[in-house]
Amino acid sequence: MSSFQNGGAPPRDLDDDSDIEEEALAANYREQVQYEGMEETPMSMAQQTDDIQSRLAAAAQPLDFSAPLDVKFASYDNYCSLFHFILNSDGPVDLEPPSYYWAWDVIDEFIYQFNSFCSYRNRIARQGNNEEEIAILREAPNTWGCYSVLNVLYSLIQRSQINEQLAAMKRNEEPMAVAGDYGSKSLYRMLGYFSIIGLLRVHCLLGDFSLALKTLDDIELNKKAMFARVMAAHFTTYYYVGFSYMMMRRYADAIRMFSHILIYVSRTKNVQKSAQYDSISKKNDQMYALIAICVAFHPTRLDDTIHTALREKYGDQLLKLQRGGPESLPIFEELFRSACPKFISPTPPDFDNPELNVDPLEHHLAIFMDEVKTNMWSPTVKSYLRLYTTMDLKKLAGFLEVEPEKLRGWLLVNKQRGRQIRWTDNGLLDGEVVGSGDLDYAMQGVSGLDSHLRSQGWPQVGGLVSTKLGTNILDDDFFRDGKGAFAW
Amino acid sequence: MGVPFDYAPDRPEHIDAILNGLDRYNPETTAVFQEYVVQQCDQKFYDCYANLALLKLYQFNPHLTKDETITNILVKALTVFPSPDFSLALHLLPPHILTPLSSSSALPAAGDAPLSEAVQKLNVLNNLLAQASYAAFWSTLDSDDLYADLIADVAGFEELIRIRIALTISQSVREIERPVLESWLGMQGDAFNKFVNGVCGWEIGGTVVKVPLNKENEAKGTIVRENVKMEQFSRVIRRAYEQPA
């Protein structure tokens, strides 16, 4: 409960990402886990004395996935009246949230229900055989509508002045000075803060990946961030940021995000309650699948912990992805399907034309697969170029059994895709174009090709190579070879 | 230096204000954004972030959708390939837009069959550009009158694409045969000479065109060296003790 009162802690140095901090966080986590067990008694007392407390608690309760439609509708109404009460009472309501993670649970559950309702509605329309439910859904196009969901999230953000508070903290100023009547109360501050994470998620579910990242402008991604106090929030944030980066083809940034959180999970898993760990273990596997995809696009040396786990979980798939070519396509598709968020379409489906209600997943997958196909020859090209410093293009085309014109295209594509935008500072959408750096070449002469291997940057005595981006350990930039063959 | 994705140098203040406020969800701003797209088409500038905001408004309010604006946004996105802009725009369109036409055109009630046809045609162009199949791009563009209609609103479309192609070539090429370059740029004769010499500043020598050296096409071996202090490795060393496995 106290974690948010600590929110005013000075923002830490970007580079200061040490073990000490991770340990402190793990310790903090342990405390919280213990605390969680103890608080049941006061909560049940609160329920007896105060109706609103029980409503607060109910809002954070997961709704059964198979709940019938009327329960889903009722749940929506409950959320509406609760948020209306919180947002539109005469001044800020004087309530203490039931627990330090309550605000996260409420926003999480609210979005989860929105998500599953939209998916369900779309499925009913697509199948077109449940007349009764179709009739009910047709009558209520605004229930769980995207405008009302966004309205709640944005209102909570605005009421709490949370963006202003975060911006002040970034400038090393006192957030309370800009918090206002609402934002100075922990209930509003917490709801506002987690609504930002909620927005990230909703935008991503709707396929708006750049806006998803933009939403986090005022949040600094580090282990001191408020979301890091609630494991599920920490986890969710990195999953959606990583996924959005991947869809913007910023694979290095995506890998950085996934690696960060997966390392954190692997180091804290012993202190997490087993039930909680189960619920994140699925997302955990999904992120490994996404890392496999990103590494195939952007060969890089991973942290050892990640690399080992990745090989255990997706060893065969990774090998095929890294080999590229048409054989890799089904693997990309399989991993994407299993690891992407449950995309939704924001508007009510077209109940009169069931065929038009394509699952949004298929749509996003199709777009993603086009990019995969564009890149699928890069591994082949690279594997040959690594062997030569100068190479006749027609000869290489002969090896590969393709037309020289096709090969020229592959070479151009590989070179273009080697250049990527990478985050260095400021907002998540910011970044600089960086070459992938492991292999460089240019075409010269009549149908000729001059390829040149760039040095891998071997450690020299007294001059070790280092990475500037290392949020985690010395991973990314060390030796960018997908197979990690250059370990020393 | 990099430029943030949401930054556009030519963006007017009133657009910026909408994008940074809740008005970006206000259906009434659709008209403002649409007008802005027209400006981008006429005046050869581009603002991806604002265009995505308009597509989002369409996503939330399908009845406001203007097919022509959508295709214009996509055509503009083509002119900045190989950026992900085209794909990012596609992600915001209705999910059925890319399903093969045979199934959706069979439905008389599917009012936007022409839109999905146009989007799929543009997607073909986008994939050809992304795959650096430039010769095929130009021949495809010429192959169908629908393409001429689609690009008609975007001033200087072919020139913008040509410059973009030239840019990607300059990153990978030092010398190239003239016929290959002609097919990639989709032009011959005087026009070709003028573009290659005048706009690109490349040298035409007989059947070979030389691209001057630049940072990207040097293909120089580089040794990355950086001095780091021992302390920076303390984590690695500690880790070695922590994780004996």
Side-chain angles (χ1 to χ4, degrees), chain B:
Chain B
M1 266 306 287
V3 176
F5 180 84
D6 52 328
Y7 175 78
D10 302 308
R11 182 184 301 154
E13 259 174 48
H14 71 283
I15 299 285
D16 205 49
I18 296 173
L19 287 174
N20 289 318
L22 285 184
D23 262 350
R24 61 154 46 235
Y25 297 103
N26 183 350
E28 284 168 27
T29 57
T30 314
V32 182
F33 280 125
Q34 277 166 186
E35 179 55 33
Y36 187 44
V37 173
V38 173
Q39 277 176 31
Q40 292 174 49
C41 291
D42 289 347
Q43 296 163 28
K44 297 190 196 174
F45 71 101
Y46 176 66
D47 187 342
C48 183
Y49 190 65
N51 294 347
L52 292 180
L54 175 56
L55 293 181
K56 194 172 188 82
L57 277 165
Y58 288 158
Q59 188 190 35
F60 285 5
N61 307 281
H63 60 284
L64 296 174
T65 303
K66 277 181 83 176
D67 293 0
E68 196 186 77
T69 310
I70 291 182
T71 55
N72 281 345
I73 288 174
L74 291 175
V75 173
K76 281 303 275 185
L78 284 178
T79 65
V80 294
F81 92 96
S83 72
D85 298 15
F86 189 92
S87 302
L88 293 176
L90 278 186
H91 281 296
L92 293 175
L93 298 181
H96 61 81
I97 207 91
L98 291 177
T99 40
L101 288 168
S102 52
S103 63
S104 65
S105 62
L107 295 163
D112 56 356
L115 177 65
S116 61
E117 185 188 356
V119 170
Q120 290 177 30
K121 290 245 169 200
L122 291 174
N123 197 33
V124 170
L125 288 188
N126 180 53
N127 285 331
L128 289 171
L129 287 173
Q131 289 157 15
S133 305
Y134 303 134
F137 165 81
W138 294 111
S139 60
T140 308
L141 188 64
D142 280 342
S143 68
D144 193 326
D145 287 344
L146 183 63
Y147 281 123
D149 293 342
L150 288 171
I151 65 169
D153 287 341
V154 177
F157 172 76
E158 299 194 356
E159 190 198 347
L160 291 168
I161 291 281
R162 229 166 244 136
I163 290 171
R164 225 47 211 192
I165 292 177
L167 192 73
T168 66
I169 294 173
S170 76
Q171 290 166 357
S172 310
V173 169
R174 273 182 260 171
E175 282 176 12
I176 186 168
E177 287 165 280
R178 180 175 171 133
V180 174
L181 188 57
E182 282 175 344
S183 72
W184 282 3
L185 292 174
M187 62 197 322
Q188 278 107 21
D190 279 351
F192 176 84
N193 292 343
K194 223 173 118 190
F195 181 79
V196 171
N197 267 327
V199 179
C200 305
W202 300 344
E203 206 181 299
I204 307 175
T207 59
V208 174
V209 177
K210 283 193 174 178
V211 181
L213 278 188
N214 59 55
K215 221 176 91 207
E216 307 291 340
N217 71 358
E218 283 179 318
K220 216 166 87 179
T222 52
I223 297 175
V224 188
R225 279 186 73 160
E226 197 172 319
N227 290 321
V228 282
K229 295 195 186 87
M230 192 59 200
E231 294 87 79
Q232 288 174 258
F233 281 86
S234 58
R235 267 183 83 140
V236 179
I237 294 160
R238 191 191 333 204
R239 221 159 252 254
Y241 286 102
E242 277 178 358
Q243 295 182 327

Side-chain angles (χ1 to χ4, degrees), chain A residues 400-419:
Chain A
L400 297 170
E401 295 172 0
V402 289
E403 292 296 305
E405 175 65 16
K406 261 243 134 37
L407 176 59
R408 282 195 195 95
W410 294 356
L411 286 164
L412 288 179
V413 169
N414 183 47
K415 185 114 180 181
Q416 282 164 26
R417 291 304 198 261
R419 292 158 49 86

Side-chain angles (χ1 to χ4, degrees), chain A residues 238-304:
Chain A
Y238 276 84
Y239 169 79
Y240 284 100
V241 170
F243 190 84
S244 299
Y245 268 139
M246 185 183 99
M247 297 309 277
M248 293 190 77
R249 302 187 197 155
R250 293 174 62 162
Y251 304 110
D253 286 326
I255 292 171
R256 196 165 48 86
M257 292 296 147
F258 295 137
S259 302
H260 165 96
I261 193 66
L262 289 172
I263 289 172
Y264 177 70
V265 169
S266 75
R267 306 193 75 195
T268 53
K269 92 180 138 193
N270 297 333
V271 288
Q272 282 155 29
K273 272 190 174 172
S274 60
Q276 234 182 338
Y277 186 69
D278 285 348
S279 72
I280 58 173
S281 76
K282 190 186 161 207
K283 272 257 167 310
N284 213 37
D285 285 357
Q286 288 184 323
M287 287 203 267
Y288 276 108
L290 294 174
I291 283 205
I293 290 176
C294 292
V295 169
F297 273 112
H298 177 81
T300 200
R301 181 161 163 79
L302 296 167
D303 177 85
D304 280 345

Side-chain angles (χ1 to χ4, degrees), chain A residues 175-443:
Chain A
M176 283 303 154
V178 290
D181 288 348
Y182 288 87
S184 47
K185 294 198 173 295
S186 80
L187 176 85
Y188 288 92
R189 193 148 35 119
M190 289 158 75
L191 283 171
Y193 184 84
F194 288 124
S195 293
I196 298 179
I197 313 284
L199 270 185
L200 157 77
R201 184 162 155 195
V202 170
H203 289 321
C204 192
L205 290 172
L206 294 171
D208 198 341
F209 307 108
S210 54
L211 192 59
L213 293 176
K214 178 74 183 162
T215 306
L216 257 59
D217 260 1
D218 290 312
I219 291 188
E220 289 188 80
L221 285 184
N222 56 43
K223 291 169 196 144
K224 283 266 179 65
M226 284 197 237
F227 62 72
R229 309 296 170 97
V230 183
M231 184 61 200
H234 195 178
F235 204 71
T236 305
T237 307
Y238 276 84
Y239 169 79
Y240 284 100
V241 170
F243 190 84
S244 299
Y245 268 139
M246 185 183 99
M247 297 309 277
M248 293 190 77
R249 302 187 197 155
R250 293 174 62 162
Y251 304 110
D253 286 326
I255 292 171
R256 196 165 48 86
M257 292 296 147
F258 295 137
S259 302
H260 165 96
I261 193 66
L262 289 172
I263 289 172
Y264 177 70
V265 169
S266 75
R267 306 193 75 195
T268 53
K269 92 180 138 193
N270 297 333
V271 288
Q272 282 155 29
K273 272 190 174 172
S274 60
Q276 234 182 338
Y277 186 69
D278 285 348
S279 72
I280 58 173
S281 76
K282 190 186 161 207
K283 272 257 167 310
N284 213 37
D285 285 357
Q286 288 184 323
M287 287 203 267
Y288 276 108
L290 294 174
I291 283 205
I293 290 176
C294 292
V295 169
F297 273 112
H298 177 81
T300 200
R301 181 161 163 79
L302 296 167
D303 177 85
D304 280 345
T305 321
I306 304 288
H307 195 229
T308 313
L310 186 58
R311 277 229 296 248
E312 263 168 35
K313 287 178 201 290
Y314 296 106
D316 293 348
Q317 286 102 319
L318 183 62
L319 217 62
K320 283 182 189 149
L321 293 183
Q322 287 178 324
R323 222 175 277 147
E327 296 80 24
S328 67
L329 297 180
I331 314 289
F332 273 106
E333 186 175 327
E334 174 202 322
L335 292 183
F336 186 92
R337 279 180 187 281
S338 70
C340 67
K342 286 199 175 61
F343 291 115
I344 46 174
S345 191
T347 45
D350 185 342
F351 290 106
D352 299 319
N353 298 291
E355 299 86 341
L356 279 184
N357 303 306
V358 174
D359 186 340
L361 164 68
E362 303 299 329
H363 175 61
H364 298 296
L365 175 68
I367 300 167
F368 174 75
M369 288 308 289
D370 275 345
E371 176 61 11
V372 172
K373 282 174 207 148
T374 298
N375 276 286
M376 71 180 172
W377 299 108
S378 289
T380 316
V381 170
K382 276 189 203 163
S383 67
Y384 276 91
L385 290 184
R386 277 186 209 288
L387 302 175
Y388 303 92
T389 47
T390 317
M391 173 86 187
D392 184 78
L393 188 131
K394 292 210 169 107
K395 199 168 133 196
L396 182 53
F399 283 158
L400 297 170
E401 295 172 0
V402 289
E403 292 296 305
E405 175 65 16
K406 261 243 134 37
L407 176 59
R408 282 195 195 95
W410 294 356
L411 286 164
L412 288 179
V413 169
N414 183 47
K415 185 114 180 181
Q416 282 164 26
R417 291 304 198 261
R419 292 158 49 86
Q420 268 191 53
I421 299 174
R422 252 184 179 205
W423 183 84
T424 49
D425 204 355
N426 300 321
L428 293 176
L429 284 174
D430 220 328
E432 285 181 33
V433 178
V434 183
S436 81
D438 63 340
L439 178 77
D440 201 9
Y441 55 83
M443 283 182 255

